[in-house]
């Protein structure tokens, strides 16, 4: 097959790799700004209002990262000596470097969830609403939609609603890690506000498939967001003329949201081709959005070797564990790159994992 043609490298390591588009850069240059620590940046205020409205919540707060939005979201529910529960693949438990414990004294418990799919009965069974003097009390259940390490899994709205009912009855909160809630919305047509109604606090990322260089937003009640503003400053997240970045987020929402459907189409095309060749490697039915997780172990590969071999051929991915390789579509990956990625991945899977 030889090396990739110049310019044909498909960087599918993550949808965080997108670079600001020309239109986005222009919007950033023109942004009206002020000091946001004094709540005087009109572009930030407009972004916060836009996102709060989309998600059907009272208020919102712009954050530098999704991790900060999640961790401040958790802190609004829980504190030292209380717990947060989620599935074992959840980003908040796995990929935020123990922040809930390190910053907020929060402990966590989890259950095994295939593909990160929400298991309402298990979540409600694991939850301890009032542990009294003997057990840790659960302050909050975290749901991730779409589920990153689960492979872009979309959580069904009826499950989210059932979890919401069960937790409300028990007086336990729900935080939605919606880093890719946009993808769930575009894939299913479910209104963002319908997802928003299933949680007390929601974080969304502007810097993933939407293509902004930086930024996440936390939404909640006005009271909680006032508290979040204090927590953000305390953590060193108070930013000044940050309307420059909020403008990128606004541009992304206005111009780069609907196109997520193209990422989904490309991901599905590759999933179908690979699933036909190797049904154990991927089930195309389980590929809901822009993330393709391959069980390359089923084809005899160690994930690290597979990712390295594909990388040498211009298709970059990420090994999520010893036997799974992840490929993520985004706005800097077009049809020819997708075709190239499909050819390379097919060839390697077909060859099997014994190095040539
Ligand atoms: C990317 C991501 C985040 C936030 O990541 P940051 O790099 O801190 O912005 C949170 N949750 C999920 C599911 C993610 O994929």
């Amino acid at each position: 097959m030889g090396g990739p043609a110049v310019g044909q490298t498909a960087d599918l390591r993550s949808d965080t790799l997108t670079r600001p588009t020309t239109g986005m850069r222009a919007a950033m240059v023109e942004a009206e700004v002020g000091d946001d620590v004094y709540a005087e940046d009109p572009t930030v205020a407009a972004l916060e209002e836009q996102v709060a409205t989309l998600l059907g919540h009272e208020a919102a707060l712009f954050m530098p990262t999704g991790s900060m939005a999640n961790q401040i979201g958790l802190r609004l529910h829980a504190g030292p000596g209380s717990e947060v529960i989620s599935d074992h693949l959840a980003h908040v438990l796995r990929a935020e470097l123990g922040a809930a414990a390190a910053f907020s004294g929060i402990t966590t418990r989890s259950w095994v969830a295939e593909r990160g799919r929400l298991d309402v009965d298990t979540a409600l069974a694991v939850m301890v609403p009032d542990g009294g003097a003997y057990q840790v009390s659960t302050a909050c259940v975290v749901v991730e939609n779409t589920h990153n390490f689960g492979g872009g899994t979309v959580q069904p709205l009826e499950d989210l609603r059932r979890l919401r009912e069960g937790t409300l009855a028990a007086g336990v909160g729900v935080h939605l890690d919606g880093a890719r809630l946009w993808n769930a919305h575009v894939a299913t047509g479910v209104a963002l506000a319908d997802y928003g109604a299933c949680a007390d606090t929601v974080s969304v990322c502007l810097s993933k498939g939407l293509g902004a260089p930086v930024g996440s937003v936390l939404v909640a009640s006005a009271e909680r967001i006032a508290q979040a503003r204090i927590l953000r400053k305390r953590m060193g997240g108070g930013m000044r003329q940050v309307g420059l970045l909020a403008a990128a987020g606004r541009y992304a929402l206005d111009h780069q949201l609907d196109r997520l459907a193209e990422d989904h189409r490309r991901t599905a095309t590759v999933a179908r081709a690979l699933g036909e060749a190797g049904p154990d490697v991927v089930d195309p039915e389980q590929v809901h959005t822009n993330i393709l997780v391959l069980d390359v172990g089923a084809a005899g590969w160690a994930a690290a070797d597979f990712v390295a071999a594909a990388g040498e051929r211009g298709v970059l991915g990420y090994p999520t564990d010893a036997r799974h390789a992840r490929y993520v579509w985004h706005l800097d990956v077009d049809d020819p790159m997708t075709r190239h990625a499909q050819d390379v991945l097919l060839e390697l899977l077909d060859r099997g994992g014994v190095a040539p």
Side-chain angles (χ1 to χ4, degrees), residues 189-214:
V190 170
L192 288 161
D194 286 339
Y195 285 130
C198 297
D200 304 288
T201 52
V202 185
S203 66
V204 288
C205 281
L206 304 164
S207 59
K208 302 277 167 76
L210 282 186
V214 176

Side-chain angles (χ1 to χ4, degrees), residues 18-55:
T18 55
R19 284 150 305 180
T21 54
T22 307
M24 180 178 283
R25 287 170 193 255
M28 294 171 76
V29 167
E30 285 157 19
E32 249 190 272
V33 297
D35 189 328
D36 186 53
V37 171
Y38 296 156
E40 287 176 4
D41 189 304
T43 309
V44 172
L47 172 69
E48 290 172 345
E49 194 187 327
Q50 183 176 8
V51 176
T53 302
L54 282 172
L55 289 162

Side-chain angles (χ1 to χ4, degrees), residues 65-67 70 91 96 144 146 148 177 179-180 205 207-208 216:
T65 66
S67 296
N70 277 337
H91 194 281
E96 296 177 15
E144 194 171 310
T146 70
N148 179 350
D177 178 353
R180 293 186 185 79
C205 281
S207 59
K208 302 277 167 76
S216 280

